[in-house]
Amino acid sequence: MSSMSETSNLESTTFDHKRFLASTSTGAGVYQMYDYNSQPLYVGKAKNLKNRLSSYFRKTGLTPKTEALVKRISSIQVTLTQTETEALILEQNLIKSQRPPYNILLRDDKSYPYIFLSSNDDFPRISLHRGAKKKKGRYFGPFPNVSSVKDSLNLLQKTFRVRQCEDSVFKNRSRPCLQYQINRCTAPCVGFINNESYGEDVKFTEMFLDGNNQELMNTLAARMESASENLEFEQAAVFRDQIASLRKIQADRVVESEQGDMDVFGISQARGGFCIHVLFVRNGRVLGSKSYFPKEKLDQQKSEVLAAFLPQFYIANTHREIPAEVLLPHPVEDADIVADALAQLRSAKVIMKHNVRGQRLKWLQLANQSAEQNLISRVNNREKVQQKYEALQDALQLPELPARMECFDISHSSGEKTVASCVVFDEGGANPSDYRRFNINDITAGDDYAAMRQALERRYKRLCEGEGKMPDILLVDGGKGQFNVAKDVLSELSVNNVELVGIAKGTTRKAGFETLIVDGGNSEITLDSTSSALHLLQEIRDEAHRFAITGHRQRRDKARKTSSLESVPGVGAKRRKELLKHFGGLQGVKAASIEDLAKVQGISRNLAEEIYQTLRMS
């Protein structure tokens, strides 16, 4: 791969596109557009760079947003590639790393969950798995979310009773656990089932996860009849219950005759917004689905949005599983190039098609209908949010509609493990990806004012340094004291363009009787309990409260679960295990003398003294 870069004369106020295009290559490659602050604006690819870049500088026929983009261009850099496939992969890597504002950005680079069945254990374990597939065994999926995996695991646990416990728990059991008592495990940990019988349960589990439900039911029916003939009525009843469970699943789910692994895409457009819905089909079964709402940037049509979405969905996300087939609602540009790139990543052929029949057509129709319905729901929700924002603008007499709001809250238990939360609401409502938590340290226990000051200072120092977006409204949950702390912090940091609002509980401390502190603390407003503006503020306040409490509980529970032995130098996991096993628990270790500690395998006299002193101080 070779590269070439061209930039405009930065002293000029207008990008000299004629001079730039005169020396631009006609080969394939990627182009990057930058503004006058050298910040990326847009990344694109082209089979012919000169022709594609020339299209941005036509005198007529440009959309308003494309014209806005062109006006901001200060320089363009191009990178030549040997093939269009190379250009596509490079384009997606640049979009992922630079996140240009005029590109469609997919905020979904997490790995998807799988069901994992181990293969190197005498009694294999079935569990949820996410991340790299390094362990030996079979992986079933991907599933669209963790809840769908948990539902499947719960069903399998009831039906086939294959163990789901951690290996460390399994190897150290001396008697059956609660799962055996409630008939969700056969207790292989204590030898209540032999390898052969357990292996059958594992085989049935695999058949179910592979989608061979009819074959599985026939096998179970044959086993049930055989057990009845041999007068093994209890075993026959087990097979009967398993068949009943599978029949209920078939009644609740459409079982398809199609086979194969594929992702099915549907797309809908309404009022300037898009929804792309994906069905995940594996072994001919729909494992789940997910909707995405890419932001429209350049007055694009559905085919253009889908064409930009596909490479990001697969290529920019290294954790994504690429299926053998990709079904599309209509033709998209460069589908063959995308298919070639996916084939390289998958090391096997990938088929992308839109003209299908039978069950594949039904899946496409379902994906499109789901995209349409989800987009309507999203648009309606945004309209409701817009109405609340307008009501808040009127209530606070703001010159402009607020586009971004932040709210802070403090949570602790008698001063223990204090956590501050910051939640963010924008034009679409709650924006969890921008939420932040702050672990508060080095303050007097229970001092909420000091906790609020520390959280605000840490947050707004970063915002002042350009690490995030400054809000239009800062909402503080509390009375005059909390309000004044926030006011002082903003003043010290010279933050002048943020409207500070305090929301204080009324004398009854009931919802609907809150008092708003505004105008630098000089005025108070009491809104009607039916006010949309008040409902919005209550929603933000309650979300900040929930987020703070959740963080505090997690921090507190983690601290309480951490053994004080972990703080002793030289005492690792193995020695901790030996100590706890020898003395029967942490309390026994704490009560032991230095001589008793030194009797434990792996514990020297010096280390015993260190343990003794550390535990006395904790």
Side-chain angles (χ1 to χ4, degrees):
M1 183 183 296
S2 60
S3 64
M4 174 187 69
S5 296
E6 293 283 351
T7 57
S8 68
N9 184 356
L10 295 180
E11 295 179 358
S12 172
T13 58
T14 304
F15 177 61
D16 189 350
H17 67 274
K18 292 182 179 179
R19 180 182 175 187
F20 169 76
L21 292 171
S23 59
T24 299
S25 170
T26 57
V30 172
Y31 56 92
Q32 299 166 258
M33 297 175 171
Y34 294 89
D35 63 16
Y36 289 96
N37 295 317
S38 299
Q39 296 300 308
L41 291 171
Y42 185 75
V43 175
K45 64 170 179 58
K47 181 179 180 180
N48 185 314
L49 284 166
K50 187 165 188 173
N51 288 348
R52 176 62 61 85
L53 288 167
S54 297
S55 68
Y56 286 96
F57 302 99
R58 298 194 306 260
K59 293 184 178 179
T60 59
L62 296 179
T63 64
K65 289 188 177 180
T66 304
E67 289 180 352
L69 166 64
V70 172
K71 287 179 181 178
R72 296 182 61 185
I73 295 174
S74 170
S75 64
I76 300 177
Q77 297 180 1
V78 302
T79 303
L80 298 181
T81 60
Q82 295 178 357
T83 65
E84 290 181 77
T85 302
E86 283 185 6
L88 176 65
I89 295 174
L90 176 58
E91 176 197 34
Q92 296 310 311
N93 289 335
L94 291 172
I95 291 173
K96 184 176 182 179
S97 62
Q98 297 184 0
R99 308 194 71 80
Y102 281 85
N103 282 97
I104 290 176
L105 301 178
L106 175 60
R107 300 180 182 274
D108 183 59
D109 56 359
K110 67 180 181 183
S111 60
Y112 279 78
Y114 288 77
I115 288 178
F116 172 69
L117 180 64
S118 64
S119 62
N120 58 346
D121 298 316
D122 292 335
F123 296 97
R125 175 191 179 222
I126 189 170
S127 61
L128 182 151
H129 176 86
R130 171 173 271 165
K133 301 174 184 176
K134 296 181 179 180
K135 296 185 287 187
K136 291 183 179 180
R138 291 196 62 190
Y139 295 85
F140 301 90
F143 290 79
N145 49 55
V146 170
S147 62
S148 58
V149 174
K150 289 182 177 179
D151 289 342
S152 297
L153 289 175
N154 186 48
L155 170 67
L156 290 168
Q157 194 175 43
K158 292 178 181 178
T159 308
F160 300 117
R161 301 187 292 172
V162 173
R163 74 176 183 94
Q164 298 185 19
C165 58
E166 295 284 350
D167 290 339
S168 59
V169 174
F170 176 78
K171 293 175 182 178
N172 291 288
R173 293 296 305 181
S174 58
R175 58 182 181 178
C177 67
L178 179 62
Q179 296 301 320
Y180 174 79
Q181 304 294 336
I182 62 176
N183 206 31
R184 292 195 175 192
C185 183
T186 50
C189 55
V190 291
F192 281 18
I193 186 173
N194 59 40
N195 291 70
E196 183 180 354
S197 298
Y198 189 85
E200 282 195 346
D201 291 337
V202 172
K203 179 183 176 182
F204 296 153
T205 298
E206 287 188 274
M207 291 174 70
F208 173 82
L209 292 171
D210 282 330
N212 301 326
N213 284 9
Q214 192 57 52
E215 180 185 352
L216 175 57
M217 284 205 294
N218 292 339
T219 301
L220 291 173
R223 299 287 176 87
M224 181 179 68
E225 291 179 6
S226 176
S228 297
E229 292 174 357
N230 295 327
L231 304 181
E232 297 173 352
F233 299 118
E234 289 186 5
Q235 185 60 47
V238 172
F239 291 131
R240 177 202 63 200
D241 294 341
Q242 290 174 339
I243 293 171
S245 295
L246 291 173
R247 282 181 177 160
K248 184 178 186 304
I249 296 168
Q250 287 188 324
D252 294 340
R253 177 190 295 161
V254 178
V255 179
E256 311 297 353
S257 59
E258 289 284 350
Q259 295 297 315
D261 296 344
M262 64 197 79
D263 289 344
V264 185
F265 289 82
I267 186 169
S268 181
Q269 179 181 13
R271 297 178 226 179
F274 293 91
C275 175
I276 295 176
H277 192 79
V278 190
L279 298 179
F280 301 97
V281 180
R282 298 296 182 267
N283 294 310
R285 296 168 56 207
V286 179
L287 294 185
S289 63
K290 186 167 184 177
S291 286
Y292 300 86
F293 301 91
K295 293 184 178 180
E296 182 265 338
K297 297 291 184 181
L298 298 171
D299 290 340
Q300 292 162 309
Q301 301 302 312
K302 288 194 290 186
S303 59
E304 296 175 296
V305 171
L306 189 57
F309 177 87
L310 287 170
Q312 281 206 56
F313 186 76
Y314 289 113
I315 299 172
N317 188 341
T318 57
H319 300 293
R320 185 86 62 194
E321 179 181 274
I322 301 174
E325 290 184 68
V326 176
L327 305 186
L328 305 173
H330 45 66
V332 298
E333 184 182 2
D334 297 333
D336 54 338
I337 299 173
V338 176
D340 184 47
L342 298 187
Q344 291 184 24
L345 296 173
R346 185 173 181 264
S347 299
K349 186 177 181 180
V350 176
I351 300 174
M352 302 186 73
K353 53 187 177 182
H354 66 278
N355 191 10
V356 294
R357 295 180 296 178
Q359 183 56 47
R360 283 169 167 75
L361 178 59
K362 292 180 181 179
W363 280 330
L364 273 176
Q365 292 170 342
L366 177 61
N368 274 316
Q369 292 168 1
S370 300
E372 182 178 352
Q373 183 61 51
N374 291 338
L375 184 57
I376 290 173
S377 299
R378 184 179 176 89
V379 169
N380 290 341
N381 181 63
R382 284 182 175 272
E383 288 180 349
K384 292 179 181 178
V385 172
Q386 178 80 4
Q387 292 172 2
K388 290 181 180 179
Y389 278 46
E390 290 173 352
L392 182 62
Q393 180 186 11
D394 292 339
L396 301 180
Q397 298 182 352
L398 302 175
E400 296 180 353
L401 196 69
R404 185 180 178 89
M405 293 182 283
E406 292 186 352
C407 182
F408 284 75
D409 193 19
I410 306 296
S411 180
H412 57 79
S413 297
S414 301
E416 179 190 7
K417 303 300 179 185
T418 304
V419 170
S421 70
C422 170
V423 301
V424 178
F425 278 57
D426 55 22
E427 298 97 327
N431 186 355
S433 63
D434 284 357
Y435 286 11
R436 295 293 182 270
R437 286 197 185 104
F438 303 90
N439 290 334
I440 305 300
N441 300 305
D442 304 323
I443 64 168
T444 302
D447 189 344
D448 286 356
Y449 293 155
M452 180 64 74
R453 173 176 290 277
Q454 185 179 131
L456 289 169
E457 287 177 346
R458 290 165 60 183
R459 173 66 170 172
Y460 282 88
K461 280 181 181 177
R462 294 173 184 173
L463 294 186
C464 291
E465 293 169 358
E467 290 189 19
K469 295 180 180 179
M470 197 70 74
D472 299 310
I473 294 178
L474 168 57
L475 182 66
V476 177
D477 182 22
K480 278 286 186 69
Q482 297 282 32
F483 182 93
N484 288 331
V485 168
K487 181 180 177 182
D488 290 343
V489 171
L490 295 183
S491 177
E492 291 168 5
L493 297 176
S494 299
V495 177
N496 302 314
N497 297 320
V498 174
E499 184 76 22
L500 180 59
V501 178
I503 178 167
K505 296 181 175 64
T507 54
T508 62
R509 302 188 67 80
K510 293 182 179 179
F513 295 90
E514 291 87 351
T515 299
L516 304 184
I517 305 170
V518 296
D519 190 25
N522 298 319
S523 302
E524 294 185 357
I525 301 174
T526 301
L527 300 178
D528 187 88
S529 60
T530 61
S531 167
S532 296
L534 180 59
H535 294 167
L536 174 61
L537 295 178
Q538 289 171 339
E539 180 183 354
I540 300 173
R541 187 263 320 272
D542 293 345
E543 177 67 356
H545 188 56
R546 178 201 67 79
F547 195 55
I549 288 176
T550 303
H552 161 63
R553 287 175 177 169
Q554 290 173 350
R555 189 184 182 198
R556 180 196 62 195
D557 293 346
K558 181 179 179 181
R560 291 179 178 178
K561 289 177 182 178
T562 301
S563 170
S564 52
L565 283 173
E566 294 182 16
S567 62
V568 183
V571 178
K574 187 175 181 180
R575 284 173 173 161
R576 283 200 301 273
K577 183 178 179 181
E578 289 295 332
L579 284 165
L580 295 172
K581 182 179 178 181
H582 184 90
F583 293 105
L586 184 59
Q587 292 303 318
V589 180
K590 288 183 175 180
S593 65
I594 295 176
E595 288 72 20
D596 291 335
L597 291 169
K599 294 177 182 178
V600 178
Q601 183 180 357
I603 305 297
S604 65
R605 173 77 184 187
N606 290 339
L607 184 55
E609 292 177 356
E610 183 73 29
I611 295 170
Y612 183 85
Q613 294 299 330
T614 302
L615 294 183
R616 291 298 177 277
M617 295 172 60
S618 63

